[in-house]
Amino acid sequence: MTTPTTDDNTPAPTGGRRTWLRDHSELGVCVLLSALGVLVLTDALTMDVDLTQRGPVGPRTVPVVVGAGLLVIAALLAVDVLRGGRGQAETGEDVDLSEPADWRTVSLLAGVFLGFAVLIEPLGFPVAGALLFWGAAFALGSRRTDRDPLIAAVVSFVTYAVFDHLLGVPLPGGPLMGVL
């Protein structure tokens, strides 16, 4: 059997498996979501937890819901792709690709996160978190020195209180441990 050719004697494209895979490339996202869902579910269901110690809603609940959700979304996306659904191409509405990357902002944010990781143990979450939120706001362009530190402190203390006191997730309190 001979291969069909075009006018310039190059092989003509065939509509075989490669074309089908290219037309259904979103199935790769389905495979990734499925694998992630199975990983999350496996990890959650093999977690060693004493049900009587934590109550009916324990540390397994959220991972099981997330893992099941990932599997459902992967299945729905696969059905949509196989029925002919296609994702829209990214238009980049507010991205100007001719402009260079803002490495100053990226560097500032990386420094803020690194500083948070170093300071969380000696200063505790409330103080290190306030510095994290204030530093991130500064790195992203906010220059309101009258209100940003106050908002950062409130957000940090509320986050600490919710996680430490309401959810029972211990966060380092640092020197303020006795005060809070």
Side-chain angles (χ1 to χ4, degrees), residues 24-45:
H24 297 88
S25 60
E26 290 94 348
L27 290 175
V29 175
C30 299
V31 170
L32 179 67
L33 289 174
S34 298
L36 192 58
V38 168
L39 177 69
V40 169
L41 279 175
T42 303
D43 193 38
L45 295 175

Side-chain angles (χ1 to χ4, degrees), residues 9-168:
N9 286 335
T10 58
T14 58
R17 180 181 169 103
R18 212 170 232 203
T19 303
W20 188 89
L21 286 175
R22 187 175 296 130
D23 289 342
H24 297 88
S25 60
E26 290 94 348
L27 290 175
V29 175
C30 299
V31 170
L32 179 67
L33 289 174
S34 298
L36 192 58
V38 168
L39 177 69
V40 169
L41 279 175
T42 303
D43 193 38
L45 295 175
T46 58
M47 188 183 300
D48 186 31
V49 176
D50 185 13
L51 186 62
T52 58
Q53 183 182 15
R54 298 293 279 164
V57 178
R60 283 187 184 165
T61 306
V62 171
V64 167
V65 169
V66 169
L70 285 168
L71 291 176
V72 168
I73 289 172
L76 292 173
L77 180 60
V79 168
D80 181 53
V81 169
L82 293 174
R83 286 185 174 176
R86 304 233 359 141
Q88 293 182 357
E90 179 64 38
T91 58
E93 57 195 66
D94 63 346
V95 177
D96 185 5
L97 297 176
S98 64
E99 291 292 320
D102 186 7
W103 290 108
R104 179 182 179 272
T105 301
V106 172
S107 300
L108 282 172
L109 282 173
V112 167
F113 283 114
L114 182 63
F116 174 75
V118 169
L119 295 176
I120 191 168
E121 201 56 47
L123 297 181
F125 183 86
V127 175
L131 293 172
L132 168 74
F133 297 136
W134 186 18
F138 181 83
L140 293 173
S142 179
R143 299 295 185 258
R144 296 287 307 262
T145 56
D146 56 335
R147 115 189 134 179
D148 288 348
L150 179 62
I151 292 172
V154 168
V155 168
S156 181
F157 282 102
V158 168
T159 303
Y160 175 78
V162 166
F163 276 87
D164 197 60
H165 299 302
L166 295 178
L167 297 176

